[in-house]
Amino acid sequence: MSSKKIIKERNLELSKEIDKQRIPQHIAIIMDGNGRWATNKGLPRSFGHNKGVSVLKEIIKASKNLGCRVLTVFAFSTENWTRPSKEVDYLINLFGKVLSKEIDEIHSESIKIKFIGDLSPFPDSLKLILQSAESLTQNNTDFILNVCVNYGGRQEIVKVAKEIALKSLNGEIKASEVNEELFNSELLTKGLKDPELLIRTSGEKRISNFLLWQLAYSEIYITDVLWPDFNEVEFLKAIIDYQSRNRRFGGIESLPNESFEDSYCSY
Ligand code: IPE
Ligand code: IPE
Ligand code: MG
């Protein structure tokens, strides 16, 4: 059997295990491992970034088909500027090239694309491409794709705190009115439900300054698979794992209130 056919059959098998009523509506992904993937193959790191783009295309399709509504992917962090300038330049160039090539298909798929992060340090030519992609797709309703570029979770929280402080100074709000709802309304992800699921590829067990506020109660799925090797089969495995979790949010699962009183132990 050809490898394509094997993958298709595995997809079908895994799809049957998925409860279509409990698909996470917002999935966040730290797409990590591009460099190692390329190095393992004796290739320059740029090959890993390139392959990573085609994986992202596959995962957007898979999540949309599954009934997920929002995908938020980490493409470039505020810390990634510390990489060699040649790699940084390559990545910035790649964003522009990929978007120019893919925007028509993104739009025809009714995907609304948003860039989350501080775009100010990017070249004007890239800013123009990103902004026109956002305005072209702003009324699309089938799916939202958030691409985090020059994004940092701490920076986002500081930005919100500054905005709230300014509003308070101007007398627009009172300190007593500062609450989670207000904070949420100032976030770069405003209006979106928090991700139910965070996927990180390449085995690193850290958040790396991604969506610090929004991930407060997300289920975390970490796979050793490097992002360029990730695919629909791996994605379905993550969803199945998510569906096996018991999301308690600090509560207790299916224990009636009375049973605690009936069975407590004396101290
Ligand atoms: C993720 O892959 C892509 C970006 C951070 C832009 P890496 O480039 O971090 O790959 P590794 O972690 O070095 O293998
Ligand atoms: C996180 O990956 C950022 C992106 C995927 C864009 P990194 O490779 O930059 O994270 P660390 O260095 O392993 O924490
Ligand atoms: Mg990395």
Side-chain angles (χ1 to χ4, degrees):
M1 213 188 311
S2 74
S3 65
K4 251 193 181 160
K5 207 160 172 215
I6 295 173
I7 292 176
K8 215 171 170 189
E9 292 207 345
R10 188 77 183 113
N11 272 347
L12 260 171
E13 262 170 45
L14 291 171
S15 300
K16 283 185 200 141
E17 286 181 45
I18 288 177
D19 177 351
K20 298 282 177 333
Q21 305 306 313
R22 289 195 304 125
I23 302 294
Q25 293 298 285
H26 184 174
I27 301 175
I29 309 183
I30 301 177
M31 309 181 290
D32 197 14
N34 293 354
R36 277 164 283 171
W37 180 88
T39 306
N40 291 345
K41 292 187 165 347
L43 296 167
R45 291 173 60 88
S46 56
F47 282 72
H49 297 315
N50 250 319
K51 176 72 170 40
V53 172
S54 54
V55 173
L56 177 58
K57 282 171 62 182
E58 180 177 345
I59 299 310
I60 295 169
K61 228 173 245 163
S63 40
K64 192 166 175 263
N65 288 342
L66 215 54
C68 166
R69 301 303 305 270
V70 185
L71 199 61
T72 300
V73 296
F74 208 2
F76 191 88
S77 77
T78 43
E79 290 71 32
N80 288 147
W81 294 105
T82 60
R83 295 188 178 201
S85 61
K86 277 193 177 163
E87 179 164 351
V88 170
D89 290 348
Y90 182 86
L91 285 166
I92 289 176
N93 232 314
L94 186 66
F95 298 147
K97 274 193 191 155
V98 169
L99 201 63
S100 307
K101 186 165 166 245
E102 304 294 339
I103 189 61
D104 289 341
E105 192 178 341
I106 291 171
H107 188 42
S108 71
E109 286 284 324
S110 188
I111 296 172
K112 177 175 171 172
I113 193 163
K114 286 273 299 167
F115 296 94
I116 292 193
D118 176 11
L119 305 187
S120 62
F122 292 130
D124 286 344
S125 53
L126 178 62
K127 273 189 253 178
L128 201 70
I129 296 173
L130 303 187
Q131 281 152 3
S132 53
E134 281 190 345
S135 54
L136 176 71
T137 61
Q138 63 184 336
N139 296 320
N140 291 346
T141 51
D142 282 10
F143 192 79
I144 296 174
L145 174 66
N146 294 317
V147 184
C148 297
V149 278
N150 191 24
Y151 173 86
R154 285 190 172 177
Q155 290 82 344
E156 179 181 29
I157 290 171
V158 168
K159 185 173 172 281
V160 172
K162 259 189 204 155
E163 268 151 28
I164 291 178
L166 270 175
K167 282 190 178 166
S168 165
L169 201 69
N170 297 338
E172 286 172 57
I173 51 160
K174 296 193 199 95
S176 60
E177 287 166 348
V178 178
N179 55 22
E180 287 187 24
E181 206 185 331
L182 179 74
F183 212 92
N184 263 321
S185 71
E186 297 284 353
L187 288 168
L188 298 168
T189 52
K190 60 178 160 261
L192 296 176
K193 238 174 103 182
D194 290 338
E196 296 100 315
L197 172 64
L198 167 71
I199 298 173
R200 181 166 190 155
T201 57
S202 93
E204 305 298 354
K205 296 171 186 70
R206 53 178 171 259
I207 295 185
S208 300
N209 203 14
F210 192 39
L211 302 175
L212 297 181
W213 174 280
Q214 297 87 338
L215 294 174
Y217 250 112
S218 307
E219 297 299 324
I220 300 177
Y221 178 85
I222 294 171
T223 170
D224 285 337
V225 174
L226 303 173
W227 179 250
D229 283 330
F230 199 75
N231 55 23
E232 190 172 355
V233 167
E234 296 302 328
F235 181 68
L236 296 179
K237 283 190 206 164
I239 305 292
I240 291 166
D241 190 85
Y242 163 82
Q243 292 189 336
S244 74
R245 310 279 180 95
N246 182 357
R247 305 194 76 200
R248 287 187 292 276
F249 298 100
I252 298 170
E253 194 200 27
S254 61
L255 185 68
N257 275 340
E258 312 81 75
S259 60
F260 176 74
E261 299 296 352
D262 290 347
S263 63
Y264 73 93
C265 93
S266 53
Y267 179 65

PDB file of all heavy atoms in Angstrom, residues 168-187:
ATOM      1  N   SER A 168      -8.068  55.002  33.349  1.00  0.00           N
ATOM      2  CA  SER A 168      -8.349  55.384  34.730  1.00  0.00           C
ATOM      3  C   SER A 168      -7.896  56.833  34.962  1.00  0.00           C
ATOM      4  O   SER A 168      -8.602  57.639  35.565  1.00  0.00           O
ATOM      5  CB  SER A 168      -7.650  54.402  35.663  1.00  0.00           C
ATOM      6  OG  SER A 168      -7.601  54.898  36.948  1.00  0.00           O
ATOM      7  N   LEU A 169      -6.730  57.154  34.414  1.00  0.00           N
ATOM      8  CA  LEU A 169      -6.183  58.508  34.538  1.00  0.00           C
ATOM      9  C   LEU A 169      -7.108  59.532  33.871  1.00  0.00           C
ATOM     10  O   LEU A 169      -7.313  60.636  34.374  1.00  0.00           O
ATOM     11  CB  LEU A 169      -4.797  58.524  33.871  1.00  0.00           C
ATOM     12  CG  LEU A 169      -3.854  59.631  34.274  1.00  0.00           C
ATOM     13  CD1 LEU A 169      -3.406  59.412  35.721  1.00  0.00           C
ATOM     14  CD2 LEU A 169      -2.612  59.611  33.375  1.00  0.00           C
ATOM     15  N   ASN A 170      -7.673  59.146  32.718  1.00  0.00           N
ATOM     16  CA  ASN A 170      -8.577  60.055  31.999  1.00  0.00           C
ATOM     17  C   ASN A 170      -9.968  60.108  32.609  1.00  0.00           C
ATOM     18  O   ASN A 170     -10.847  60.768  32.084  1.00  0.00           O
ATOM     19  CB  ASN A 170      -8.747  59.599  30.535  1.00  0.00           C
ATOM     20  CG  ASN A 170      -7.447  59.651  29.793  1.00  0.00           C
ATOM     21  OD1 ASN A 170      -6.550  60.375  30.198  1.00  0.00           O
ATOM     22  ND2 ASN A 170      -7.339  58.878  28.718  1.00  0.00           N
ATOM     23  N   GLY A 171     -10.181  59.317  33.642  1.00  0.00           N
ATOM     24  CA  GLY A 171     -11.492  59.293  34.288  1.00  0.00           C
ATOM     25  C   GLY A 171     -12.525  58.457  33.539  1.00  0.00           C
ATOM     26  O   GLY A 171     -13.719  58.506  33.837  1.00  0.00           O
ATOM     27  N   GLU A 172     -12.080  57.667  32.538  1.00  0.00           N
ATOM     28  CA  GLU A 172     -13.044  56.835  31.788  1.00  0.00           C
ATOM     29  C   GLU A 172     -13.524  55.652  32.618  1.00  0.00           C
ATOM     30  O   GLU A 172     -14.632  55.157  32.404  1.00  0.00           O
ATOM     31  CB  GLU A 172     -12.401  56.295  30.497  1.00  0.00           C
ATOM     32  CG  GLU A 172     -12.246  57.328  29.408  1.00  0.00           C
ATOM     33  CD  GLU A 172     -11.438  56.763  28.247  1.00  0.00           C
ATOM     34  OE1 GLU A 172     -11.846  55.720  27.698  1.00  0.00           O
ATOM     35  OE2 GLU A 172     -10.401  57.362  27.910  1.00  0.00           O
ATOM     36  N   ILE A 173     -12.661  55.149  33.490  1.00  0.00           N
ATOM     37  CA  ILE A 173     -13.051  54.045  34.377  1.00  0.00           C
ATOM     38  C   ILE A 173     -12.504  54.285  35.785  1.00  0.00           C
ATOM     39  O   ILE A 173     -11.547  55.030  35.962  1.00  0.00           O
ATOM     40  CB  ILE A 173     -12.510  52.673  33.880  1.00  0.00           C
ATOM     41  CG1 ILE A 173     -10.999  52.767  33.596  1.00  0.00           C
ATOM     42  CG2 ILE A 173     -13.267  52.138  32.711  1.00  0.00           C
ATOM     43  CD1 ILE A 173     -10.326  51.424  33.574  1.00  0.00           C
ATOM     44  N   LYS A 174     -13.167  53.612  36.746  1.00  0.00           N
ATOM     45  CA  LYS A 174     -12.657  53.701  38.128  1.00  0.00           C
ATOM     46  C   LYS A 174     -11.834  52.446  38.397  1.00  0.00           C
ATOM     47  O   LYS A 174     -12.089  51.387  37.802  1.00  0.00           O
ATOM     48  CB  LYS A 174     -13.829  53.713  39.108  1.00  0.00           C
ATOM     49  CG  LYS A 174     -14.741  54.907  38.981  1.00  0.00           C
ATOM     50  CD  LYS A 174     -15.654  54.936  40.220  1.00  0.00           C
ATOM     51  CE  LYS A 174     -16.872  55.778  39.988  1.00  0.00           C
ATOM     52  NZ  LYS A 174     -18.042  55.055  39.547  1.00  0.00           N
ATOM     53  N   ALA A 175     -10.873  52.526  39.319  1.00  0.00           N
ATOM     54  CA  ALA A 175     -10.042  51.356  39.652  1.00  0.00           C
ATOM     55  C   ALA A 175     -10.926  50.189  40.077  1.00  0.00           C
ATOM     56  O   ALA A 175     -10.650  49.023  39.753  1.00  0.00           O
ATOM     57  CB  ALA A 175      -9.062  51.712  40.758  1.00  0.00           C
ATOM     58  N   SER A 176     -12.022  50.497  40.748  1.00  0.00           N
ATOM     59  CA  SER A 176     -12.918  49.431  41.232  1.00  0.00           C
ATOM     60  C   SER A 176     -13.618  48.705  40.075  1.00  0.00           C
ATOM     61  O   SER A 176     -14.182  47.634  40.260  1.00  0.00           O
ATOM     62  CB  SER A 176     -13.953  50.000  42.196  1.00  0.00           C
ATOM     63  OG  SER A 176     -14.708  50.984  41.523  1.00  0.00           O
ATOM     64  N   GLU A 177     -13.573  49.308  38.901  1.00  0.00           N
ATOM     65  CA  GLU A 177     -14.228  48.664  37.749  1.00  0.00           C
ATOM     66  C   GLU A 177     -13.290  47.726  36.977  1.00  0.00           C
ATOM     67  O   GLU A 177     -13.690  47.076  36.020  1.00  0.00           O
ATOM     68  CB  GLU A 177     -14.755  49.736  36.780  1.00  0.00           C
ATOM     69  CG  GLU A 177     -15.972  50.453  37.317  1.00  0.00           C
ATOM     70  CD  GLU A 177     -16.294  51.727  36.531  1.00  0.00           C
ATOM     71  OE1 GLU A 177     -15.451  52.183  35.716  1.00  0.00           O
ATOM     72  OE2 GLU A 177     -17.397  52.253  36.743  1.00  0.00           O
ATOM     73  N   VAL A 178     -12.038  47.664  37.372  1.00  0.00           N
ATOM     74  CA  VAL A 178     -11.088  46.782  36.675  1.00  0.00           C
ATOM     75  C   VAL A 178     -11.378  45.338  37.081  1.00  0.00           C
ATOM     76  O   VAL A 178     -11.331  44.990  38.265  1.00  0.00           O
ATOM     77  CB  VAL A 178      -9.615  47.140  37.016  1.00  0.00           C
ATOM     78  CG1 VAL A 178      -8.653  46.179  36.323  1.00  0.00           C
ATOM     79  CG2 VAL A 178      -9.315  48.580  36.623  1.00  0.00           C
ATOM     80  N   ASN A 179     -11.742  44.541  36.107  1.00  0.00           N
ATOM     81  CA  ASN A 179     -12.006  43.124  36.381  1.00  0.00           C
ATOM     82  C   ASN A 179     -11.579  42.285  35.176  1.00  0.00           C
ATOM     83  O   ASN A 179     -11.059  42.816  34.180  1.00  0.00           O
ATOM     84  CB  ASN A 179     -13.488  42.904  36.714  1.00  0.00           C
ATOM     85  CG  ASN A 179     -14.392  43.435  35.609  1.00  0.00           C
ATOM     86  OD1 ASN A 179     -13.964  43.587  34.463  1.00  0.00           O
ATOM     87  ND2 ASN A 179     -15.641  43.720  35.938  1.00  0.00           N
ATOM     88  N   GLU A 180     -11.779  40.990  35.241  1.00  0.00           N
ATOM     89  CA  GLU A 180     -11.334  40.095  34.155  1.00  0.00           C
ATOM     90  C   GLU A 180     -11.992  40.440  32.822  1.00  0.00           C
ATOM     91  O   GLU A 180     -11.366  40.372  31.772  1.00  0.00           O
ATOM     92  CB  GLU A 180     -11.640  38.635  34.511  1.00  0.00           C
ATOM     93  CG  GLU A 180     -10.723  38.106  35.575  1.00  0.00           C
ATOM     94  CD  GLU A 180     -10.896  36.618  35.827  1.00  0.00           C
ATOM     95  OE1 GLU A 180     -11.367  35.897  34.922  1.00  0.00           O
ATOM     96  OE2 GLU A 180     -10.571  36.183  36.946  1.00  0.00           O
ATOM     97  N   GLU A 181     -13.266  40.822  32.904  1.00  0.00           N
ATOM     98  CA  GLU A 181     -14.002  41.130  31.675  1.00  0.00           C
ATOM     99  C   GLU A 181     -13.369  42.329  30.963  1.00  0.00           C
ATOM    100  O   GLU A 181     -13.152  42.303  29.750  1.00  0.00           O
ATOM    101  CB  GLU A 181     -15.444  41.429  32.063  1.00  0.00           C
ATOM    102  CG  GLU A 181     -16.423  41.153  30.951  1.00  0.00           C
ATOM    103  CD  GLU A 181     -17.812  41.592  31.366  1.00  0.00           C
ATOM    104  OE1 GLU A 181     -18.129  41.573  32.583  1.00  0.00           O
ATOM    105  OE2 GLU A 181     -18.567  41.962  30.450  1.00  0.00           O
ATOM    106  N   LEU A 182     -13.066  43.357  31.747  1.00  0.00           N
ATOM    107  CA  LEU A 182     -12.439  44.552  31.176  1.00  0.00           C
ATOM    108  C   LEU A 182     -11.066  44.205  30.599  1.00  0.00           C
ATOM    109  O   LEU A 182     -10.710  44.614  29.495  1.00  0.00           O
ATOM    110  CB  LEU A 182     -12.297  45.637  32.259  1.00  0.00           C
ATOM    111  CG  LEU A 182     -11.637  46.923  31.772  1.00  0.00           C
ATOM    112  CD1 LEU A 182     -12.588  47.721  30.889  1.00  0.00           C
ATOM    113  CD2 LEU A 182     -11.175  47.790  32.940  1.00  0.00           C
ATOM    114  N   PHE A 183     -10.310  43.416  31.351  1.00  0.00           N
ATOM    115  CA  PHE A 183      -8.987  42.997  30.907  1.00  0.00           C
ATOM    116  C   PHE A 183      -9.087  42.249  29.567  1.00  0.00           C
ATOM    117  O   PHE A 183      -8.363  42.535  28.614  1.00  0.00           O
ATOM    118  CB  PHE A 183      -8.360  42.088  31.970  1.00  0.00           C
ATOM    119  CG  PHE A 183      -6.875  42.223  32.038  1.00  0.00           C
ATOM    120  CD1 PHE A 183      -6.280  43.124  32.911  1.00  0.00           C
ATOM    121  CD2 PHE A 183      -6.055  41.467  31.228  1.00  0.00           C
ATOM    122  CE1 PHE A 183      -4.900  43.268  32.965  1.00  0.00           C
ATOM    123  CE2 PHE A 183      -4.680  41.596  31.278  1.00  0.00           C
ATOM    124  CZ  PHE A 183      -4.098  42.501  32.150  1.00  0.00           C
ATOM    125  N   ASN A 184     -10.038  41.306  29.517  1.00  0.00           N
ATOM    126  CA  ASN A 184     -10.260  40.531  28.289  1.00  0.00           C
ATOM    127  C   ASN A 184     -10.561  41.432  27.098  1.00  0.00           C
ATOM    128  O   ASN A 184     -10.117  41.171  25.985  1.00  0.00           O
ATOM    129  CB  ASN A 184     -11.465  39.602  28.474  1.00  0.00           C
ATOM    130  CG  ASN A 184     -11.033  38.208  28.869  1.00  0.00           C
ATOM    131  OD1 ASN A 184     -10.036  37.699  28.365  1.00  0.00           O
ATOM    132  ND2 ASN A 184     -11.765  37.600  29.773  1.00  0.00           N
ATOM    133  N   SER A 185     -11.331  42.491  27.366  1.00  0.00           N
ATOM    134  CA  SER A 185     -11.776  43.351  26.268  1.00  0.00           C
ATOM    135  C   SER A 185     -10.625  44.180  25.695  1.00  0.00           C
ATOM    136  O   SER A 185     -10.766  44.801  24.649  1.00  0.00           O
ATOM    137  CB  SER A 185     -12.913  44.257  26.730  1.00  0.00           C
ATOM    138  OG  SER A 185     -12.389  45.233  27.606  1.00  0.00           O
ATOM    139  N   GLU A 186      -9.485  44.195  26.384  1.00  0.00           N
ATOM    140  CA  GLU A 186      -8.327  44.955  25.880  1.00  0.00           C
ATOM    141  C   GLU A 186      -7.269  44.035  25.270  1.00  0.00           C
ATOM    142  O   GLU A 186      -6.270  44.490  24.725  1.00  0.00           O
ATOM    143  CB  GLU A 186      -7.675  45.753  27.016  1.00  0.00           C
ATOM    144  CG  GLU A 186      -8.567  46.819  27.641  1.00  0.00           C
ATOM    145  CD  GLU A 186      -8.710  48.066  26.760  1.00  0.00           C
ATOM    146  OE1 GLU A 186      -8.011  48.151  25.744  1.00  0.00           O
ATOM    147  OE2 GLU A 186      -9.535  48.918  27.104  1.00  0.00           O
ATOM    148  N   LEU A 187      -7.459  42.718  25.381  1.00  0.00           N
ATOM    149  CA  LEU A 187      -6.454  41.782  24.862  1.00  0.00           C
ATOM    150  C   LEU A 187      -6.452  41.771  23.338  1.00  0.00           C
ATOM    151  O   LEU A 187      -7.456  42.135  22.708  1.00  0.00           O
ATOM    152  CB  LEU A 187      -6.744  40.360  25.364  1.00  0.00           C
ATOM    153  CG  LEU A 187      -6.466  40.067  26.838  1.00  0.00           C
ATOM    154  CD1 LEU A 187      -7.070  38.720  27.227  1.00  0.00           C
ATOM    155  CD2 LEU A 187      -4.969  40.078  27.134  1.00  0.00           C
TER     156      LEU A 187
END
